[in-house]
Amino acid sequence: MYKRLYTKIYHYMTDTRGLDNLIWVYAPDANRDYKTDFYPGDSYVDIVGLDAYFTDAYSIPGYDELTSLNKPFAFTEVGPQETNGSLDYALFINAIREKFSKTIYFLAWNDGWSPAANKGAANLYNDSWMLNKGEIWNGDSLTPVVE
């Protein structure tokens, strides 16, 4: 049912509405089993990812399963399992570098799940692997964007 709904929405948006500039992301919950069972197919997906709420960034399940689909990979939603301010986001960027190196982006959730409401935000955003507003990748180095 999910695959059929996904492809129906895809065709409605692209064929009926003419929206050919959308990026289609398939991102199951990291803590559920059978992550690729609902994958609608390569022609309907641009990026695969995981929604991951965790206590240990190194133990997020599903990365190998999703990257085996040979699509760009992202952490489409991330944050701590509990909103008590104890997650160290510096460990998350280390886990990306050491274990999840195919990650092209991540989106940290808001409020109590955000880096600002937890530890390590400055380390996360100032890490050399991060691109922030005002920087782009030119192929071999970071270059400031001129606005």
Side-chain angles (χ1 to χ4, degrees):
M1 183 70 156
Y2 176 84
K3 289 180 187 181
R4 211 167 83 214
L5 177 60
Y6 188 107
T7 57
K8 186 174 185 161
I9 292 170
Y10 177 92
H11 285 293
Y12 173 76
M13 299 301 278
T14 57
D15 301 340
T16 305
R17 302 293 297 184
L19 299 173
D20 60 1
N21 60 341
L22 300 178
I23 296 173
W24 291 87
V25 180
Y26 173 79
D29 185 329
N31 295 315
R32 298 192 190 269
D33 293 331
Y34 314 110
K35 292 170 188 61
T36 58
D37 283 9
F38 300 102
Y39 184 69
D42 289 348
S43 59
Y44 299 102
V45 175
D46 298 308
I47 296 171
V48 295
L50 291 167
D51 291 356
Y53 291 87
F54 51 88
T55 54
D56 177 9
Y58 286 89
S59 66
I60 299 170
Y63 173 79
D64 292 335
E65 190 175 352
L66 272 291
T67 57
S68 73
L69 296 171
N70 295 314
K71 293 284 186 175
F73 175 84
F75 283 106
T76 53
E77 279 185 27
V78 295
Q81 279 186 335
E82 296 186 23
T83 58
N84 59 13
S86 66
L87 183 71
D88 187 347
Y89 270 96
L91 296 177
F92 178 60
I93 191 65
N94 290 339
I96 288 174
R97 187 176 24 257
E98 296 168 14
K99 188 173 179 184
F100 309 116
S101 62
K102 293 180 181 178
T103 303
I104 60 168
Y105 78 86
F106 70 87
L107 174 68
W109 206 238
N110 197 8
D111 298 325
W113 299 272
S114 75
N118 286 274
K119 297 186 263 180
N123 292 341
L124 171 71
Y125 290 128
N126 292 313
D127 190 277
S128 64
W129 269 45
M130 294 288 296
L131 293 175
N132 291 292
K133 183 179 177 184
E135 297 175 323
I136 60 168
W137 181 253
N138 72 7
D140 52 332
S141 66
L142 293 178
T143 305
V145 175
V146 179
E147 295 182 2

